[in-house]
Amino acid sequence: EAGVTQFPSHSVIEKGQTVTLRCDPISGHDNLYWYRRVMGKEIKFLLHFVKESKQDESGMPNNRFLAERTGGTYSTLKVQPAELEDSGVYFCASSQDLWGEQYFGPGTRLTVT
Amino acid sequence: RKEVEQDPGPFNVPEGATVAFNCTYSNSASQSFFWYRQDCRKEPKLLMSVYSSGNEDGRFTAQLNRASQYISLLIRDSKLSDSATYLCVVNNPMAGGYNKLIFGAGTRLAVHP
């Protein structure tokens, strides 16, 4: 069974540019989560989709971040415009059930210069 | 105060040693508790769930004390391959079926020959 995949693995952009991260969850997993680890800090929750609906977006830093999950399959996380403090590793995770194990993708390392 | 606090690392131990990690959490409503392992520049992977009765998986033993809001992980007979960062993780259940994971900052373990 294929795991959670994320694209790209690395992205280096300049401040003010736009970047879109993609996550493909494990097939059949309705729950999809985005997390972020900023250097030196713990991994923090960003938001949670159940199918195509945003269940909880309390962790989204500000309105420069937009997440979508059209059709309830893959998800995108767009940062526009990017700021220096957005640098970090963005992880996606999915789970079959709400209380089930969350499987993490390899992450996208975003560097904003 | 952080929601999940862990022992500061790194722990440097010889092969064969026994090492213990501790963690405290602040949300008394948390219902699920986990230890994740994260190798350098990799995604977190579930090591084990933690139950009130305590549970063991080979060389790994996890304990939970709900009254003290304290979680521990004991690793016996350390192997070189145990070198990694160990993340204490609890859930934050909310009304409406939200279930996000709250991560500690992690404790780094280095096992040397």
Side-chain angles (χ1 to χ4, degrees):
Chain A
E1 178 184 277
V4 177
T5 57
Q6 292 186 244
F7 182 84
S9 56
H10 294 83
S11 180
V12 180
I13 61 172
E14 293 182 354
K15 176 182 172 180
Q17 289 186 322
T18 297
V19 64
T20 300
L21 313 181
R22 174 172 169 142
C23 168
D24 286 78
I26 292 172
S27 178
H29 282 194
D30 288 340
N31 295 278
L32 186 150
Y33 306 81
W34 283 98
Y35 295 87
R36 176 174 78 169
R37 184 170 206 162
V38 172
M39 185 177 290
K41 302 284 187 181
E42 62 272 17
I43 296 171
K44 290 213 166 181
F45 168 86
L46 296 179
L47 87 160
H48 170 206
F49 282 100
V50 177
K51 296 185 180 178
E52 67 274 8
S53 300
K54 289 176 187 173
Q55 186 78 355
D56 177 5
E57 52 185 331
S58 61
M60 294 287 263
N62 50 61
N63 59 11
R64 295 186 294 103
F65 288 75
L66 175 64
E68 294 181 322
R69 192 183 182 194
T70 306
T73 54
Y74 70 91
S75 174
T76 58
L77 179 64
K78 182 162 70 173
V79 186
Q80 179 182 30
E83 298 289 344
L84 298 178
E85 64 264 26
D86 300 332
S87 296
V89 182
Y90 290 76
F91 290 105
C92 175
S94 72
S95 68
Q96 189 164 39
D97 305 311
L98 179 63
W99 304 99
E101 177 181 348
Q102 293 186 24
Y103 296 86
F104 282 76
T108 293
R109 186 171 297 275
L110 175 64
T111 303
V112 183
T113 63
Chain B
R1 182 189 171 190
K2 291 184 179 180
E3 292 184 75
V4 178
E5 301 222 41
Q6 296 188 236
D7 275 350
F11 282 58
N12 294 296
V13 303
E15 278 186 285
T18 295
V19 61
F21 302 139
N22 303 314
C23 166
T24 56
Y25 61 95
S26 61
N27 187 350
S28 58
S30 295
Q31 299 169 1
S32 305
F33 310 89
F34 312 93
W35 284 101
Y36 275 73
R37 170 193 168 129
Q38 187 174 25
D39 292 289
C40 187
R41 293 182 172 263
K42 297 285 188 181
E43 71 273 22
K45 291 189 177 179
L46 181 66
L47 177 66
M48 58 197 305
S49 301
V50 188
Y51 304 112
S52 295
S53 54
N55 48 302
E56 187 174 307
D57 183 2
R59 298 180 294 108
F60 299 84
T61 301
Q63 298 276 353
L64 167 65
N65 183 322
R66 284 185 184 271
S68 303
Q69 295 181 201
Y70 169 95
I71 306 163
S72 66
L73 176 68
L74 183 77
I75 304 176
R76 290 181 299 278
D77 188 23
S78 298
K79 310 290 184 191
L80 294 176
S81 57
D82 293 335
S83 298
T85 296
Y86 291 82
L87 305 170
C88 178
V89 183
V90 307
N91 81 319
N92 182 4
M94 298 166 64
Y98 303 170
N99 180 33
K100 62 185 181 186
L101 298 182
I102 309 298
F103 285 78
T107 301
R108 195 156 60 89
L109 171 66
V111 182
H112 58 81

